Amino acid sequence: MRLVPAHAPWRLPEPCVEALWGLFTMVIILGGILSGIFTATESAAIAVIWAFFVTMFIYRDYKWRDLPKLLHRTVRTLSIVMILIAFAGAFGYIMTLMQIPSKITSMFLTLSDNRYVILMCINFMLLALGTLMDMAPLILILILTPILMPVITGIGVDPVHFGMIMLVNLGIGLITPPVGAVLFVGAAIGKVTIENTVKALLPFYAALFMVLMAVTYIPAISLWLPSIVL
């Protein structure tokens, strides 16, 4: 057995050092957005250029002759996501015309005037809608926010706290069938079936639900950082 000298300097394992090039992609995305240098779309574009540079010139996992095959694989995966988003957007438009979210909210308010019961009902509604629609239509098209905000403020919930509740709910919906865009992307990249992916995710669904309950009923989790900054 080989003994390591006591004075040997500590250093990162070689796989960790190699992974730093790829991990820097997250620094570009989050750092660019949080610093205000890039918008979310611009940071994604810069991250793609960086990932292409790292793959072709540093890791050298692919040759230039493999580029058409990579583009074909990327377009195929992207087409799956865009079709899902298109149908989710159309479905959201129909729901808005039929005023379904508003009717569901009114139904919840008639069930109870208890703050915690209403929050639980809103969680169930957001989880259900998140599994049927993409996050972007639910937030950007303003289906839920103007409907739920008066309800939330009426029961004394901080808008920042409600924003975190909504994001966690809709984030869970992104990996939940039948629409979950991230679920389909992961299955396409991993070349596994949706059924096997969902089975593997079952323990994580339980953990995510516990996190959702903690975020919902412990406001300090969402509000401690804004209170420090502001």
Side-chain angles (χ1 to χ4, degrees):
M1 183 176 67
R2 182 180 177 184
L3 298 177
V4 179
H7 62 275
W10 182 87
R11 61 181 181 180
L12 285 172
E14 186 175 346
C16 295
V17 176
E18 293 181 357
L20 291 177
W21 294 101
L23 292 174
F24 191 72
T25 307
M26 294 188 297
V27 177
I28 293 175
I29 296 174
L30 297 177
I33 295 174
L34 296 177
S35 64
I37 299 175
F38 307 127
T39 64
T41 304
E42 292 169 348
S43 65
I46 299 297
V48 167
I49 297 174
W50 171 255
F52 178 80
F53 172 78
V54 170
T55 301
M56 301 302 293
F57 296 100
I58 297 180
Y59 292 152
R60 299 180 180 178
D61 293 331
Y62 296 96
K63 305 297 182 181
W64 286 99
R65 63 175 178 269
D66 298 326
L67 192 57
K69 181 176 65 176
L70 295 176
L71 291 175
H72 175 265
R73 188 188 305 171
T74 302
V75 171
R76 185 176 61 183
T77 304
L78 182 62
S79 63
I80 296 173
V81 178
M82 296 307 295
I83 290 173
L84 286 171
I85 293 177
F87 278 99
F91 183 69
Y93 181 72
I94 294 174
M95 291 188 67
T96 304
L97 290 179
M98 298 178 66
Q99 299 182 349
I100 292 178
S102 177
K103 294 177 182 178
I104 294 175
T105 304
S106 301
M107 180 189 69
F108 286 158
L109 290 176
T110 59
L111 293 177
S112 174
D113 57 356
N114 186 286
R115 173 184 186 178
Y116 301 105
V117 174
I118 292 176
L119 284 175
M120 181 60 70
C121 292
I122 290 176
N123 274 329
F124 285 137
M125 182 183 72
L126 291 175
L127 285 173
L129 291 176
T131 61
L132 297 174
M133 300 173 58
D134 188 66
M135 180 185 287
L138 286 171
I139 297 178
L140 299 181
I141 303 178
L142 303 179
I143 297 175
L144 293 176
T145 306
I147 296 173
L148 293 178
M149 189 58 69
V151 178
I152 290 300
T153 54
I155 60 176
V157 176
D158 190 278
V160 175
H161 181 204
F162 170 63
M164 293 303 301
I165 294 173
M166 177 180 285
L167 289 177
V168 174
N169 273 290
L170 301 183
I172 295 174
L174 287 176
I175 57 172
T176 308
V179 173
V182 176
L183 178 66
F184 279 85
V185 172
I189 293 175
K191 297 181 180 179
V192 294
T193 63
I194 295 296
E195 292 80 6
N196 291 336
T197 305
V198 172
K199 288 180 182 178
L201 284 174
L202 288 178
F204 296 96
Y205 287 137
L208 287 171
F209 183 77
M210 289 188 288
V211 170
L212 174 61
M213 292 297 99
V215 170
T216 301
Y217 294 112
I218 307 177
I221 296 177
S222 305
L223 300 179
W224 71 271
L225 184 58
S227 64
I228 293 175
V229 175
L230 299 177

